[in-house]
Amino acid sequence: MRAEIVGVLLWIRALRSTRLGESKDPDAKVKRAAEMVLATWKTADKTIDEEKGSYDANYKLMMWTPVWHGMTMARKIVGENTALGRDLANTISLDLEPMLEKAKQIVSQHAGEDGTRRGLVVYDALSNMTE
């Protein structure tokens, strides 16, 4: 399994848990999805190919932003002070957020005057949901 695909599943489960279950995980679906993301993390492609210009960076923003949002939500659901919550926090801060920031910078530099690149739109929409 690919981490970015499992990560979207985590995002959907975390959204559902937050919207319908008051951030509870009685059936442990969020926990299992978070564990699957972390289990597949080492094989995930988190590098940005700068030779492809902003194309690859934009793709990474579109692909990984929902995963970041899902992992952030999952931390709150499973408990920030649990072992899983700490593992998610480390993965987010050491791997995912730096890659997203780099991608965001590259895409922003190459965006048109209106700044409407799909990756930036997704990033802005989901980052506003976490605040």
Side-chain angles (χ1 to χ4, degrees):
M1 277 236 167
R2 293 174 48 177
E4 60 269 35
I5 303 303
V6 178
V8 172
L9 174 66
L10 171 62
W11 177 53
I12 292 168
R13 288 183 172 171
L15 278 172
R16 185 176 181 149
S17 174
T18 302
R19 302 284 191 245
L20 302 177
E22 300 174 4
S23 295
K24 300 200 185 313
D25 190 26
D27 53 6
K29 287 183 179 180
V30 173
K31 180 182 180 215
R32 284 195 306 273
E35 290 169 341
M36 288 184 350
V37 168
L38 293 176
T40 58
W41 193 255
K42 289 182 182 176
T43 60
D45 177 16
K46 300 172 293 287
T47 60
I48 298 172
D49 186 352
E50 294 185 40
E51 290 182 13
K52 292 183 180 177
S54 65
Y55 173 79
D56 192 51
N58 191 54
Y59 175 78
K60 293 293 192 309
L61 274 177
M62 288 189 312
M63 187 61 70
W64 287 106
T65 298
V67 178
W68 164 77
H69 192 238
M71 291 172 75
T72 302
M73 294 173 68
R75 275 190 65 226
K76 295 174 184 170
I77 294 167
V78 302
E80 294 177 348
N81 293 321
T82 64
L84 180 57
R86 287 189 298 273
D87 288 345
L88 287 168
N90 286 337
T91 302
I92 291 167
S93 66
L94 297 176
D95 289 337
L96 195 51
E97 286 179 343
M99 186 266 296
L100 289 175
E101 282 301 316
K102 181 178 180 180
K104 188 176 151 188
Q105 288 175 350
I106 292 169
V107 173
S108 294
Q109 291 172 353
H110 294 91
E113 288 182 18
D114 60 356
T116 54
R117 294 294 300 263
R118 182 67 63 196
L120 290 175
V121 172
V122 170
Y123 181 87
D124 290 340
L126 293 183
S127 64
N128 289 334
M129 288 179 69
T130 60
E131 297 172 351

